[in-house]
């Protein structure tokens, strides 16, 4: 077995251990092959191909092919791993030193050195067009301490930074492309140092990338290129794979699995992700201003039944904002809200709603959302809560709930994963956070615990801090998490080496095509 | 009767079109601003904050008064600039230039199919009204009107693409790059839209033909000893051609509207998909651009129809 095939086998074995269903073929015998074009059906047009100016979580599927990040993560646990930074170290709580890999160049030939990293981090932190300024709020200054070393001076200890640098903020763009670009963004002409170089983007239609022949990872990437066809209608996208016009489709709804399992030319892979379907609660206004009502709401939901009925069993019941596989998961918090409609009624009575109460929620009108609503309405009715959903398209409902209108008391939606959990918690459970719909205060010990989760580099200490954060969030019942939806990917049988990851935003690092 | 020159007619019609264009785009713009939902929130991204949303409003001028925003858009259009997508920065003219041929090809194919099937059906039904052929035709026509296009589209994909593998299930190809592939991709969506058109053509044509055939000059033609087929094809159809052109122009407009749904079923990046994406994301330059294009197409189709009708039948006042 050559070096490459052994690594391939290890990767595939760990994927199998992680509960990934693979087709019955003897995968370990096949040597990865170079060549071919991977044709992917993608569900959404990207908002931008410049990591700093974009905003949608669905952009990453394209961005990850063209940009490498300073830090990467482990597919199964999201623990940080070296990327463009081959090592990093907190020399003191307020200083993070990144050692940049040598010999890496951007697609336009510009060397990727410490200066390039500094240029990017400063741009991400302060450029007016940057959407990720807040991600780097703790960074006071960026200094080049050697041609291959960048030192970040922090205004406050922030151990979430390494994983923040595995996302948009750590995607390194060619500085010469940025300086030459009109308006200072490479939104439509991305130049990174990733496995694939950009060729073209036709809005709502197609994105084409080709192999970066000078890529720094040995023997990667294997395909000659990737062609993304943008097909927002997922049923249609799945049909394009069934009909052989595309090789792979990601982010499928669970109901597609039964249909695709019947197609012999297609294999289906799934795995857990951080993508959590949840009900955001507005705890600044009645009835959710009363903690007992919020707790009752959480007790009234039968998450196991919800997963079976609404998600075809392809999900993990969610009792907090992190799934079992995550390094910061805390088992004791997961036991807080086991299904108990009687307890829910009792709590409601204590809150003064002996005869039940009506709750107005906001939701989305698509087929999957409405099905989830029907199940929830029935479950909550049994506990004396008469729930009504007012549905509107995502852009409208989400703005109406989170921005100034404050429509409804809760929103059935989802939270896409963030590489570091501290972001998830600070974006939802701090006083002025946008995703804290009521902008209502949270207990000071929760704000302190979120801060503490970023204070220590030691993983055990961070885990403890997150246990406190999760416990406080759930004891206060600031949210009703429902289920972590599995990543569901369907592909043509010639596609090999695809693994889902815990973040739920696909990376195609090890994919290759059998001829 | 004094006939005006066709150039003058065209000129005055285009002049009349201007207020229509302004009114249509203004109404769509107003609707987009009236419905809730805010592109600034989308632009601010997943890690949005109130401050960032406010900042984005001022960067993109979304905080300016409604009429000013429309005025800026209109001013750009007058200078030949359809401006660019707020979200992705692509020039709207580029998006439309790419999407329009895809939609046009589907509509043209649908129209040809509708006429090729609808005209013979209408004619044979009119020969013997209330005979079994007529009844069969009117049943097929009723079905064509009743069957939803998107349902037919899905059935066609399931049978013809997925089971028989004769035609591609999704996507579109450029006509200029490979005409045959482009037509293969557009055929199923074309058929799905044509079903309604066929029914409409057959029903309308049958009605007009019956009216013509019951007129006195047809009786005279019969008396002269002309064969039924000569009466039908030479005299009958000529007299209903004005009606036929009117049906065609209405059909083109309806078919354009039908592409919005059909393009979603077949994942065709055409005008319909474009306007849906723009509307969902509140990316108003895109919506405005597509509405602008559609209005111009509709006006042109109507103009051509009127000119053709007038050419065939000089009695029609231009």
């Amino acid at each position: 077995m050559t070096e490459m095939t052994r690594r391939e086998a290890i990767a595939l074995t760990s994927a199998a251990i992680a509960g990934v269903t693979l087709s019955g073929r003897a995968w370990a015998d096949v040597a990865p092959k170079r060549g071919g074009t991977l044709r992917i059906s993608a569900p959404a047009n990207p908002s931008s191909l410049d990591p700093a100016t974009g905003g949608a979580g669905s952009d990453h599927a394209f961005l990850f092919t063209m940009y490498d990040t300073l830090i990467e993560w482990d597919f199964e646990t999201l623990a940080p791993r070296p990327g463009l930074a081959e090592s990093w170290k907190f020399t003191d709580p307020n200083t993070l030193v990144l050692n940049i890999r040598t010999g890496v160049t951007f697609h336009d030939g510009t060397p990727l050195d410490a200066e390039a990293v500094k240029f990017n981090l400063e741009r991400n932190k302060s450029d007016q067009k940057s959407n990720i300024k807040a991600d780097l709020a703790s960074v006071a200054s960026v200094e080049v301490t050697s041609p291959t070393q960048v030192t970040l001076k922090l205004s406050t200890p922030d151990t979430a930074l390494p994983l923040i640098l595995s996302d948009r903020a750590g995607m390194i763009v060619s500085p010469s492309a940025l300086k030459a670009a009109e308006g200072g963004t490479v939104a439509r002409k991305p130049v990174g140092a990733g496995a694939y170089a950009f060729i073209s983007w036709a809005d709502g239609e197609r994105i084409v990338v080709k192999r970066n022949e000078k890529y720094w990872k040995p023997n990667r990437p294997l395909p000659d290129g990737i062609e993304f066809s943008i097909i927002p209608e997922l049923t249609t996208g799945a049909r394009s794979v069934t009909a052989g016009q595309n090789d792979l489709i990601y982010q499928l709804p669970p109901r597609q699995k039964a249909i695709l399992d019947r197609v012999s030319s297609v294999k289906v892979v799934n795995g857990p992700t951080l993508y959590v379907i949840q009900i955001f609660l507005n705890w600044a206004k009645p009835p959710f201003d009363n903690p007992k009502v919020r707790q009752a709401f959480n007790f009234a939901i039968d998450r196991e039944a919800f997963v079976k009925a609404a998600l075809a069993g392809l999900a993990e019941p969610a009792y907090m904002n992190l799934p079992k596989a995550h390094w910061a998961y805390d088992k004791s918090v997961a036991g807080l809200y086991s299904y108990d409609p009687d307890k829910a009624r009792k709590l409601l009575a204590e809150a003064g709603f002996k005869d039940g109460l009506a709750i107005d929620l906001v939701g989305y009108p698509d087929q999957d959302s409405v099905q989830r609503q029907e199940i929830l309405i029935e479950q909550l009715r049994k506990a004396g809560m008469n729930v009504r959903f007012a549905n509107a398209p995502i852009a409208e409902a989400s703005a109406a709930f989170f921005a100034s209108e404050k429509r409804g008391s809760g929103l059935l939606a989802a939270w896409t994963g963030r590489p570091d959990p501290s972001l998830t918690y600070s974006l939802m459970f701090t006083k002025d956070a946008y995703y804290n719909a009521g902008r209502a205060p949270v207990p000071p010990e929760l704000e302190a615990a979120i801060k503490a989760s970023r204070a220590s580099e030691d993983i055990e200490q961070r885990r403890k801090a997150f246990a406190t954060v999760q416990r406080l969030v759930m004891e206060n019942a600031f949210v009703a998490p429902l289920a972590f939806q599995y990543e569901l990917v369907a592909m043509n049988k010639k596609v090999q080496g695809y693994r889902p990851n815990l973040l739920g935003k696909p990376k195609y690092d090890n994919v290759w095509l059998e001829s | 009767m004094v006939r005006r020159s066709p150039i003058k007619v065209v000129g005055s019609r285009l002049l009349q079109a201007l207020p229509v264009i302004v009114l249509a785009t203004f109404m769509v713009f107003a609707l987009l601003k009236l419905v809730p939902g805010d592109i600034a929130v989308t632009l601010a991204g997943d890690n949005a904050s109130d401050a960032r949303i406010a900042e984005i409003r001022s960067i993109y001028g979304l905080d300016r008064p409604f009429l000013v925003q429309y005025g800026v858009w209109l001013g750009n259009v007058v200078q030949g600039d359809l401006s660019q997508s707020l979200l992705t920065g692509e020039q709207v003219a580029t998006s439309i230039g790419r999407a329009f041929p895809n939609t046009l090809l589907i509509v043209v194919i649908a129209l040809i199919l509708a006429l090729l099937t609808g005209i013979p059906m209408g004619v044979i039904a009119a020969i013997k009204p209330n005979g079994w052929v007529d009844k069969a035709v009117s049943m097929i026509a009723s079905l064509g009107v009743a069957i939803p296009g998107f349902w037919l589209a899905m059935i066609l994909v399931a049978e013809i693409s997925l089971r028989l593998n004769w035609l591609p299930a999704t996507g579109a190809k450029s006509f200029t790059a490979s005409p045959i592939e482009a037509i293969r991709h557009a055929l199923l969506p074309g058929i799905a839209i044509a079903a309604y058109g066929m029914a409409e053509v057959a029903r309308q044509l049958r009605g007009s033909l019956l009216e013509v055939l019951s007129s006195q000059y047809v009786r005279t033609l019969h008396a002269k000893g002309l064969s039924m087929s000569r009466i039908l094809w030479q005299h009958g159809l000529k007299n209903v051609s004005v009606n036929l052109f009117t049906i065609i122009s209405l059909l083109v407009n309806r078919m354009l509207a039908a592409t919005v749904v059909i393009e979603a079923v077949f994942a065709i990046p055409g005008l319909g998909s474009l306007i849906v994406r723009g509307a969902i994301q509140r990316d108003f330059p895109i919506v405005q651009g597509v509405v602008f294009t559609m209005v111009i197409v509709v006006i042109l189709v109507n103009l051509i129809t009127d000119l053709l009708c007038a050419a065939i039948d000089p009695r029609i006042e231009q």
Side-chain angles (χ1 to χ4, degrees):
Chain A
M1 207 183 243
T2 68
E3 170 60 28
M4 194 166 68
T5 51
R6 187 156 59 237
R7 202 181 312 135
E8 213 62 39
I10 292 167
L12 285 163
T13 316
S14 53
I17 290 166
V20 175
T21 55
L22 286 166
S23 65
R25 60 172 304 119
W27 39 262
D29 309 335
V30 191
K33 194 184 136 289
R34 222 171 128 92
T37 299
L38 178 63
R39 300 162 306 164
I40 297 176
S41 168
N45 194 43
S47 60
S48 163
L49 291 179
D50 185 326
T53 66
S58 49
D59 296 352
H60 291 68
F62 310 104
L63 297 175
F64 280 142
T65 66
M66 291 176 254
Y67 298 103
D68 267 16
T69 49
L70 288 170
I71 314 282
E72 297 181 4
W73 30 251
D74 183 84
F75 272 41
E76 278 79 39
T77 64
L78 286 186
R81 290 265 180 277
L84 290 172
E86 57 186 357
S87 67
W88 66 92
K89 191 171 182 332
F90 282 92
T91 50
D92 67 69
N94 284 336
T95 310
L96 172 61
V97 176
L98 301 167
N99 294 308
I100 311 302
R101 203 171 286 278
T102 50
V104 181
T105 55
F106 292 103
H107 302 148
D108 61 1
T110 312
L112 195 161
D113 53 12
E115 286 293 344
V117 173
K118 174 183 156 82
F119 183 88
N120 272 271
L121 293 180
E122 286 181 342
R123 169 176 185 255
N124 293 346
K125 187 178 159 48
S126 53
D127 194 290
Q128 194 201 24
K129 284 218 162 68
S130 168
N131 265 342
I132 47 177
K133 285 183 266 203
D135 293 13
L136 297 175
S138 61
V139 178
S141 70
V142 185
E143 287 157 30
V144 172
T145 36
S146 99
T148 59
Q149 193 182 65
V150 177
T151 302
L152 311 187
K153 289 280 178 203
L154 313 183
S155 52
T156 172
D158 189 0
T159 53
L161 268 180
L163 279 170
I164 286 175
L165 296 177
S166 76
D167 208 85
R168 284 180 182 276
M171 293 181 186
I172 305 301
V173 186
S174 161
S176 30
L178 279 171
K179 283 172 194 156
E182 201 186 329
T185 89
V186 290
R188 300 206 65 86
K189 277 195 171 161
V191 184
Y196 295 91
F198 174 77
I199 295 183
S200 67
W201 172 19
D203 262 20
E205 192 174 332
R206 196 174 304 279
I207 290 177
V208 185
V209 296
K210 63 165 190 221
R211 184 198 295 125
N212 171 6
E213 301 289 354
K214 293 191 179 141
Y215 193 48
W216 60 273
K217 288 185 192 171
N219 298 319
R220 291 290 181 277
L222 291 161
D224 296 334
I226 305 180
E227 253 185 65
F228 294 95
S229 296
I230 297 153
I231 306 182
E233 192 58 45
L234 290 171
T235 319
T236 306
R239 270 204 302 269
S240 77
V241 174
T242 315
Q245 288 178 278
N246 280 317
D247 299 314
L248 183 146
I249 179 167
Y250 58 97
Q251 270 162 29
L252 283 171
R255 63 185 149 81
Q256 285 286 340
K257 182 159 192 298
I259 300 167
L260 291 165
D261 277 343
R262 289 202 301 266
V263 183
S264 58
S265 60
V266 170
K267 60 183 173 182
V268 182
V269 164
N270 65 69
T273 71
L274 293 184
Y275 182 93
V276 59
I277 298 165
Q278 64 176 22
I279 303 172
F280 293 84
L281 304 178
N282 184 337
W283 67 89
K285 64 187 234 188
F288 290 135
D289 55 347
N290 187 331
K292 290 202 156 108
V293 178
R294 301 197 298 267
Q295 288 160 353
F297 193 78
N298 266 292
F299 274 117
I301 297 166
D302 183 351
R303 292 164 169 87
E304 306 271 344
F306 179 82
V307 164
K308 274 193 204 122
L311 300 163
L314 292 172
E316 175 187 326
Y319 298 92
M320 63 175 109
N321 280 87
L322 292 173
K324 279 185 197 143
H326 196 274
W327 58 267
Y329 175 81
D330 184 60
K331 208 175 163 194
S332 70
V333 178
L336 283 178
Y337 292 100
S338 37
Y339 176 53
D340 192 342
D342 296 329
K343 184 134 190 210
R345 275 184 188 278
K346 214 175 117 218
L347 281 164
L348 278 188
E350 284 171 25
F353 301 102
K354 201 159 59 70
D355 305 318
L357 86 160
I359 300 175
D360 284 308
L361 301 181
V362 183
Y364 303 146
D366 61 283
Q367 187 185 346
D368 296 298
S369 300
V370 171
Q371 195 191 5
R372 287 168 204 163
Q373 292 165 12
E374 285 164 358
I375 293 159
L376 289 169
I377 288 171
E378 184 55 22
Q379 290 188 355
L380 290 157
R381 191 185 57 78
K382 287 186 186 144
M385 279 171 267
N386 186 6
V387 171
R388 276 178 309 198
F389 275 97
N391 287 345
I394 294 183
E396 176 188 342
S398 161
F401 181 75
F402 291 116
S404 47
E405 189 191 327
K406 307 295 173 209
R407 188 191 295 171
S409 320
L411 170 74
L412 172 60
W415 182 258
T416 53
R418 301 295 191 278
D420 194 274
S422 63
L423 285 179
T424 291
Y425 290 104
S426 61
L427 286 165
M428 282 191 282
F429 309 113
T430 47
K431 183 172 178 305
D432 290 313
Y434 180 74
Y435 295 103
N436 167 358
R439 311 287 189 275
V442 297
E445 58 270 31
L446 176 54
E447 300 244 7
I450 292 174
K451 219 173 160 200
S453 77
R454 295 171 89 143
S456 167
E457 201 194 351
D458 179 64
I459 198 113
E460 272 314 309
Q461 291 208 20
R462 295 202 75 199
R463 192 176 286 153
K464 267 190 209 135
F466 281 119
T468 314
V469 173
Q470 286 158 21
R471 178 163 291 278
L472 286 167
V473 167
M474 290 318 295
E475 279 176 354
N476 284 288
F478 286 136
V479 62
L482 302 173
F484 295 99
Q485 186 173 314
Y486 283 178
E487 170 71 1
L488 187 61
V489 179
M491 65 199 92
N492 187 317
K493 291 221 160 126
K494 68 177 189 185
V495 180
Q496 303 296 331
Y498 179 81
R499 279 193 298 152
N501 63 64
L502 192 56
L503 188 64
K505 297 173 179 176
K507 278 194 183 183
Y508 302 104
D509 298 17
N510 298 311
V511 175
W512 55 279
L513 294 159
E514 229 172 47
S515 45
Chain B
M1 193 167 54
V2 186
R3 293 195 65 177
R4 292 191 290 164
S5 84
I7 297 167
K8 266 192 179 165
V9 175
V10 173
S12 80
R13 286 295 295 271
L14 287 181
L15 220 60
Q16 286 167 23
L18 282 181
V20 177
I21 293 173
V22 173
L23 198 70
T25 54
F26 180 78
M27 277 171 60
V28 170
F29 189 80
L31 275 174
L32 273 183
K33 291 284 164 185
L34 278 175
V35 291
D38 187 350
I39 191 170
V41 175
T42 316
L43 282 166
D46 281 351
N47 294 1
S49 67
D50 289 325
R52 179 65 186 154
I53 292 171
E55 191 182 20
I56 281 184
R57 280 210 186 89
S58 85
I59 295 176
Y60 289 90
L62 297 167
D63 52 354
R64 284 177 299 178
F66 163 75
L67 279 176
V68 174
Q69 290 187 46
Y70 178 74
V72 168
W73 179 82
L74 196 64
N76 287 335
V77 172
V78 171
Q79 296 166 44
D81 176 11
L82 282 175
S83 60
Q84 57 191 38
S85 158
L86 288 180
L87 213 54
T88 70
E90 186 172 59
Q91 291 294 328
V92 173
T94 311
S95 309
I96 291 176
R98 211 174 42 232
F100 187 54
N102 293 337
T103 302
L104 189 68
L105 184 61
I106 299 176
V107 171
V108 167
I109 288 181
L111 192 65
I112 292 173
L113 290 176
L115 294 177
L116 282 180
T117 49
I119 291 178
M121 277 169 65
V123 172
I124 57 169
I127 294 173
K128 268 202 182 142
N130 297 322
W132 68 268
V133 176
D134 182 26
K135 282 186 180 143
V137 166
S138 85
M139 201 184 77
I140 296 171
S142 303
L143 271 179
V145 173
I147 289 176
F150 68 88
W151 178 84
L152 182 63
M154 287 188 205
I155 298 298
L156 286 172
V157 172
E159 285 302 307
I160 296 183
S161 301
L162 298 186
R163 206 169 65 81
L164 299 169
N165 216 354
W166 287 350
L167 290 170
T170 55
K173 286 274 181 303
S174 156
F175 190 80
T176 44
S178 74
I180 294 177
E181 268 307 296
I183 291 174
R184 272 170 50 82
H185 278 80
L187 205 52
L188 286 185
I191 294 174
I193 296 180
Y196 171 84
M198 169 198 76
E200 199 59 27
V201 170
R203 278 164 23 138
Q204 298 279 356
L205 192 62
R206 173 185 175 273
S208 330
L209 263 181
L210 281 180
E211 206 179 302
V212 170
L213 292 180
S214 62
S215 61
Q216 295 191 337
Y217 79 89
V218 172
R219 201 166 25 160
T220 315
L221 293 173
H222 271 300
K224 244 170 65 174
L226 238 58
S227 73
M228 187 63 192
S229 65
R230 274 196 77 181
I231 295 176
L232 259 179
W233 295 108
Q234 209 177 336
H235 298 272
L237 270 186
K238 201 172 181 180
N239 275 290
V240 297
S241 54
V242 169
N243 288 13
L244 197 61
F245 280 123
T246 315
I247 298 169
I248 291 173
S249 81
L250 290 174
L251 264 186
V252 169
N253 299 344
R254 287 202 66 140
M255 284 173 169
L256 268 178
T259 55
V260 172
V261 175
I262 295 300
E263 284 177 9
V265 175
F266 289 94
I268 289 165
L271 282 187
S273 316
L274 191 60
I275 198 170
V276 168
R277 179 159 55 86
I280 287 177
Q281 296 174 331
R282 308 286 188 265
D283 198 341
F284 68 84
I286 289 188
V287 181
Q288 293 287 87
V290 176
V291 169
F292 179 76
T293 314
M294 292 258 197
V295 169
I296 288 184
V297 170
V298 170
I299 287 172
L300 280 181
V301 167
N302 290 351
L303 178 63
I304 294 169
T305 314
D306 288 357
L307 290 175
L308 279 175
C309 288
I312 296 165
D313 187 348
R315 286 172 303 181
I316 293 174
E317 182 84 36
Q318 281 181 329

